[in-house]
Amino acid sequence: MRYRFVIVGVLAFFLSTLLPVAGPSGVATQAHAAQVISRVIVEGNQRVEVDTVLSYMQVSAGQSFDALKIDESVKALFQTGLFSDVQIVRRGNDLVVRVVENPMINRVNFEGNSQIKDSDLAKEVELKERTMFTRSKVQSDVNRIIALYRRSGYYSVKVAPQIIRQPENRVDLVFAITEGVETTVTSINFIGNTAFGESDLKGVIGTAEHSWWKFFQRNDTYDADRVEYDKELLRRYYLKNGFADVRVPAADARLTPDGQNFIITYTIEEGPRYKVADVAVNTGNVSLDPSGLKSGVKTGVGDPYDASLVDKTVENLTLEASRQGFVFAKVDPQIDRNPGQSTLNITYNISEGPRTYIERIDIVGNIRTEDQVIRRELKLFEGDAFNRVLIDRARRRLTALDFFDKIDFREDPGSAPDKIVLVVAVQEKTTGSISFSVGYSTTEAVIGSVSLEERNFLGKGDDLRLNTSLSFVRQQVDFSFTDPYFLGLPISAGVDAFAIATDNTRTSGYKSKQVGGALRTGFELDEYSSVNFRYGLAWRRIDGVDASRAAPAVIASGGSSVKSSISAAYIWDNLDSPVKPTNGFRGELDGEIAGLGGSVRLASVEGHGWYFVPVYEDSVVLKFEGNAGHLQPLGGNNISVQDLFYKGGDTFRGFALSGVGPHQIGNDGNRYSIGGTNYAIGTIEMSFPLGLPEEWGIGGAVFSDFGTVFGSPYKSVAKGTGKCGATAPKDCTVFDTMAFRASVGAGIVWQSPFGPLRFDFSYPLMKAKYDDTEWFRFSVGTRF
């Protein structure tokens, strides 16, 4: 036994002595060979190419096995979304990548939805046909659908994704939707309000309580974003009414126990109500005309503090300083409260701000409208000095397009302190419209028309219109197309075509037809004025004249004629809005000469003017309107009854279409309208709210139209002479007087879901005995 231990000890000694010598060259080489990757093998892939998998690997053949890089490779492959499982294992000197591919989506369907269309849901989800299925994306899309429904008022909605497996590792994805009942706001409460009642504050916010009769209302559902904006609306309302320290710290939305309704409570901290004790404008070392600055100050001593008027004053003073050459003016309002007096002093400090230049102009929010349509109206370019006057004019031009609901100019920092990025943020609105109108008169009975218009055709700013009207006496089709920047130049170009058939048998004793067209062009002279030119060519015919009944003026005008005319118009316009103006003036002067070929020889001139004055903020507006015209025959020719002025209906409320102006006794003894060569008509109208809830969209108007139409080129004809037949019951007398006419009326305007509806009732106070009257008109329009 002893020898056995001795032998083992001797062997152990020799091994410990030889290993340090022989080991390094043999064993180390074998270990090194075992750490190098010979091949990278991909297993389990079906559609994904091997090269695609290898492109995401952080290690490759010929490199050492690195646990950290292998782990990064697993993460990279998972992040592609192509695989539901990834394993990387070592097989000898090979690195094996085992993948399980995510199935490909064959089809995405929605079931159970009735309140939201499939097309709208498809736009909301990220998963589409022929994309890889992942459970994380499915859950994300479920959340998206739920959020969409909740924005629409369905808070109890449930969405269950269903997977139907198909051959070749494909799946059909079905979102099974249980919409539930619409979750409406049944109660809105306010805490801390003492200055204003709940009814006042409910009229301020955008969220409304649900009522059964508000079946078109869509703001009676809970929307978290809208409620958050309501807090800002409440704050602005209080700031506008003297509460400079107001806070709206919370808006709590609580779901009722049945899960079908919301109760919203707004918490308000009003603070004291301030009045303005003193207002001053401090120009410092800046040399400015104080009279121009004074007119821009909207905050008055003794008035309740109004933050919106402070902002308006800052804007006015900045613009006025720019107009006086102080382009880089900076206006800082300084508000000092007088402790214990509930009053404050406002000082507008004007100083020279930093000189800034426009580095870049970014346009955002325009989905349909092309950038160039907006840029060409800015008249601002990269490198220009930042000038608020030019910004204000650009805003006005963009507003005049009537393409946008909202236009904001934002100044973001540029690449240097003296550079800014001018961001023009717009919110588009519908520019296509279809309008229907219906009216009733004592002469035409029911009148209807349909008008189709697209003011931003294909997003290029072009104007396309098609108008049709139909009544018992008139059928008309008009087509027009206008390119406001023809060939990219600041010159408008347009084309018109029309066809009109009129049965004036009852009012004038004839029928007429007109078919023609026109070419138009125009350009701006400056910021407020422009000129337009037009060439028109029309074939006209008067027929259906019964000589035994018609007036001699109509009989003399019978037959065909060709009118070739050229016209020019000068326009001056500084209205604050082309759609719903509240301030400013627009004037037009039109002149036309016919006789450049054709058979008609005449000249005409017409003038139109509109002046708007805000009486109370922008809710009560007074409008003054004036229209006048004169026709003059050329070359001794008489003027056809087709070319004379006929007024009434919309152009002179209280009187029927063609109801005002010269008339002549026909061969049947009845009076017929024959038109006049002169007219002058004025309008005074005041529009105002009716005190109803603002969300109803109902307003009122009172008006008065007054003026005259006169100057028939035709004379009375005695019975049995000329065109007045011997069988006529009496002389064919012309009734033509400059007598002053006037009417008064009232109207109701409802901004309905179908568009604006207007009901006008009018009564003629002064009229000629032969005038035809009209007491009621109704019109309706809608957007698409």
Side-chain angles (χ1 to χ4, degrees):
M1 179 68 68
R2 179 186 304 175
Y3 295 110
R4 187 179 299 170
F5 283 112
V6 171
I7 294 170
V8 171
V10 172
L11 289 174
F13 173 77
F14 277 104
L15 286 173
S16 62
T17 305
L18 293 174
L19 279 175
V21 178
S25 60
V27 177
T29 302
Q30 183 179 356
H32 176 72
Q35 295 297 319
V36 175
I37 300 172
S38 298
R39 294 181 301 169
V40 178
I41 301 171
V42 179
E43 296 179 352
N45 59 307
Q46 297 177 351
R47 288 184 300 270
V48 181
E49 298 290 339
V50 172
D51 290 342
T52 301
V53 176
L54 295 178
S55 67
Y56 289 99
M57 295 292 294
Q58 306 299 310
V59 293
S60 60
Q63 296 181 347
S64 300
F65 286 93
D66 188 322
L68 181 60
K69 290 186 176 181
I70 291 173
D71 185 57
E72 291 176 351
S73 299
V74 172
K75 294 178 180 178
L77 289 169
F78 266 119
Q79 288 175 357
T80 64
L82 298 173
F83 310 105
S84 60
D85 189 24
V86 178
Q87 294 180 1
I88 300 180
V89 297
R90 179 176 177 178
R91 184 188 297 163
N93 291 335
D94 295 336
L95 192 64
V96 181
V97 183
R98 296 171 183 167
V99 297
V100 178
E101 292 183 356
N102 278 320
M104 180 170 286
I105 295 177
N106 182 57
R107 188 167 51 212
V108 179
N109 289 332
F110 305 93
E111 294 182 356
N113 55 304
S114 60
Q115 298 300 320
I116 300 179
K117 298 178 181 178
D118 285 1
S119 57
D120 295 330
L121 291 171
K123 294 176 183 177
E124 193 70 18
V125 299
E126 289 184 335
L127 289 173
K128 312 289 182 183
E129 295 179 5
R130 299 188 63 80
T131 60
M132 286 297 182
F133 171 91
T134 66
R135 294 191 179 277
S136 60
K137 288 185 177 179
V138 170
Q139 187 57 47
S140 175
D141 283 346
V142 167
N143 294 336
R144 286 172 177 269
I145 294 172
I146 291 175
L148 179 62
Y149 266 93
R150 288 186 172 182
R151 289 198 300 269
S152 302
Y154 290 83
Y155 254 75
S156 58
V157 63
K158 296 180 180 179
V159 182
Q162 299 176 356
I163 302 169
I164 303 174
R165 297 198 174 273
Q166 302 292 344
E168 300 180 355
N169 199 24
R170 294 175 178 268
V171 296
D172 290 343
L173 178 60
V174 179
F175 292 99
I177 302 171
T178 304
E179 294 179 328
V181 297
E182 187 175 20
T183 312
T184 58
V185 177
T186 55
S187 178
I188 296 177
N189 303 312
F190 300 91
I191 297 176
N193 59 306
T194 58
F196 303 104
E198 287 197 352
S199 60
D200 295 326
L201 298 180
K202 287 178 181 178
V204 172
I205 61 178
T207 305
E209 292 176 339
H210 175 73
S211 298
W212 66 267
W213 48 269
K214 299 178 181 178
F215 43 86
F216 287 120
Q217 182 172 273
R218 301 307 304 167
N219 61 341
D220 59 354
T221 57
Y222 174 70
D223 185 329
D225 292 336
R226 185 169 61 227
V227 169
E228 191 63 28
Y229 184 59
D230 286 343
K231 292 168 59 179
E232 177 62 18
L233 292 177
L234 289 170
R235 192 182 74 87
R236 292 180 187 176
Y237 181 73
Y238 271 90
L239 288 173
K240 184 180 177 65
N241 288 278
F243 295 86
D245 301 329
V246 66
R247 292 179 64 248
V248 185
D252 176 62
R254 180 169 55 86
L255 197 61
T256 56
D258 59 9
Q260 296 185 7
N261 300 293
F262 270 97
I263 299 173
I264 301 177
T265 303
Y266 298 90
T267 302
I268 302 172
E269 297 176 3
E270 293 181 334
R273 190 171 194 171
Y274 293 93
K275 286 190 175 183
V276 179
D278 183 55
V279 178
V281 178
N282 178 22
T283 60
N285 297 325
V286 181
S287 178
L288 294 172
D289 179 13
S291 61
L293 297 174
K294 184 177 179 180
S295 62
V297 177
K298 300 301 180 183
T299 49
V301 174
D303 295 341
Y305 170 76
D306 186 341
S308 65
L309 293 181
V310 173
D311 293 339
K312 186 64 177 177
T313 300
V314 170
E315 180 183 349
N316 291 345
L317 293 178
T318 303
L319 291 173
E320 180 59 30
S322 297
R323 293 189 187 100
Q324 296 188 30
F326 198 51
V327 176
F328 300 101
K330 181 182 179 183
V331 180
D332 292 318
Q334 178 182 329
I335 299 175
D336 299 314
R337 294 165 176 79
N338 299 315
Q341 301 181 29
S342 295
T343 62
L344 48 79
N345 304 326
I346 304 175
T347 303
Y348 298 97
N349 298 307
I350 303 178
S351 60
E352 183 174 4
R355 294 180 176 269
T356 53
Y357 300 87
I358 300 174
E359 179 180 20
R360 191 175 71 250
I361 299 175
D362 291 342
I363 299 173
V364 298
N366 55 316
I367 300 173
R368 184 165 176 265
T369 307
E370 295 183 357
D371 276 10
Q372 64 168 347
V373 174
I374 299 174
R375 287 184 181 275
R376 68 195 185 192
E377 299 298 333
L378 297 179
K379 298 186 179 359
L380 293 166
F381 304 94
E382 283 82 357
D384 287 354
F386 180 74
N387 188 323
R388 294 193 180 276
V389 172
L390 299 181
I391 296 294
D392 185 62
R393 292 177 179 176
R395 187 194 307 275
R396 179 180 176 274
R397 284 191 294 269
L398 288 176
T399 302
L401 292 177
D402 195 25
F403 295 169
F404 311 107
D405 274 327
K406 188 177 180 181
I407 302 169
D408 287 328
F409 286 80
R410 189 175 73 245
E411 303 136 41
D412 289 349
S415 60
D418 63 341
K419 295 180 180 180
I420 66 164
V421 176
L422 182 63
V423 180
V424 183
V426 299
Q427 180 178 319
E428 292 181 321
K429 67 179 179 181
T430 55
T431 54
S433 65
I434 177 171
S435 299
F436 306 90
S437 67
V438 179
Y440 177 82
S441 74
T442 57
T443 56
E444 289 193 58
V446 179
I447 309 165
S449 68
V450 179
S451 175
L452 296 167
E453 179 183 359
E454 175 50 70
R455 293 175 286 102
N456 188 15
F457 186 59
L458 299 179
K460 297 181 180 296
D462 298 335
D463 188 288
L464 182 68
R465 304 187 185 198
L466 177 64
N467 301 315
T468 65
S469 64
L470 176 67
S471 72
F472 292 106
V473 298
R474 184 181 179 90
Q475 300 82 45
Q476 178 175 344
V477 178
D478 294 311
F479 169 82
S480 70
F481 176 80
T482 304
D483 182 352
Y485 280 78
F486 184 61
L487 298 178
L489 301 173
I491 300 174
S492 65
V495 60
D496 301 326
F498 60 87
I500 306 171
T502 308
D503 185 354
N504 293 318
T505 304
R506 183 177 178 183
T507 59
S508 301
Y510 71 90
K511 298 179 180 179
S512 69
K513 297 178 180 178
Q514 297 187 57
V515 178
L519 298 175
R520 294 175 284 105
T521 187
F523 53 88
E524 292 183 353
L525 297 176
D526 55 35
E527 180 69 20
Y528 301 109
S529 60
S530 60
V531 292
N532 297 319
F533 301 95
R534 180 180 184 271
Y535 171 75
L537 182 65
W539 172 86
R540 300 104 55 82
R541 180 173 179 81
I542 291 181
D543 55 16
V545 178
D546 186 349
S548 65
R549 299 182 59 232
V554 175
I555 298 173
S557 300
S560 300
S561 63
V562 175
K563 183 178 180 181
S564 174
S565 64
I566 185 170
S567 61
Y570 172 78
I571 301 170
W572 197 91
D573 183 355
N574 74 339
L575 295 178
D576 59 345
S577 169
V579 181
K580 191 178 179 181
T582 60
N583 196 5
F585 174 79
R586 176 183 173 91
E588 296 182 16
L589 182 62
D590 304 322
E592 180 185 35
I593 296 178
L596 304 176
S599 56
V600 179
R601 304 285 188 273
L602 60 82
S604 68
V605 61
E606 292 186 77
H608 313 278
W610 300 264
Y611 182 56
F612 294 86
V613 180
V615 177
Y616 178 73
E617 296 183 342
D618 290 337
S619 59
V620 180
V621 179
L622 185 62
K623 179 185 77 171
F624 299 91
E625 179 180 347
N627 300 278
H630 172 70
L631 273 171
Q632 182 67 41
L634 300 177
N637 295 312
N638 212 347
I639 302 178
S640 170
V641 291
Q642 278 185 301
D643 296 309
L644 296 171
F645 295 126
Y646 296 86
K647 298 299 176 182
D650 289 331
T651 59
F652 204 144
R653 288 167 292 189
F655 296 90
L657 192 66
S658 304
V660 182
H663 285 63
Q664 185 175 32
I665 298 296
N667 279 280
D668 60 356
N670 293 320
R671 291 194 308 269
Y672 293 97
S673 176
I674 58 174
T677 58
N678 305 282
Y679 76 93
I681 300 172
T683 295
I684 299 177
E685 178 173 315
M686 179 177 288
S687 57
F688 49 85
L690 293 177
L692 298 172
E694 187 176 349
E695 63 266 23
W696 290 12
I698 299 178
V702 293
F703 58 83
S704 174
D705 292 347
F706 46 87
T708 184
V709 183
F710 63 95
S712 172
Y714 297 96
K715 305 301 180 184
S716 299
V717 181
K719 175 181 177 181
T721 61
K723 304 293 184 180
C724 191
T727 59
K730 49 186 169 181
D731 293 342
C732 298
T733 306
V734 172
F735 297 92
D736 185 9
T737 176
M738 293 178 62
F740 186 77
R741 283 89 159 178
S743 65
V744 294
I748 298 174
V749 182
W750 177 30
Q751 300 296 333
S752 76
F754 306 104
L757 276 70
R758 177 156 184 155
F759 305 84
D760 282 329
F761 302 86
S762 52
Y763 178 77
L765 297 175
M766 302 174 66
K767 67 183 185 71
K769 62 180 180 180
Y770 51 82
D771 289 338
D772 296 316
T773 61
E774 173 184 89
W775 62 274
F776 170 72
R777 288 190 72 82
F778 163 74
S779 63
V780 58
T782 187
R783 295 277 184 183
F784 71 86

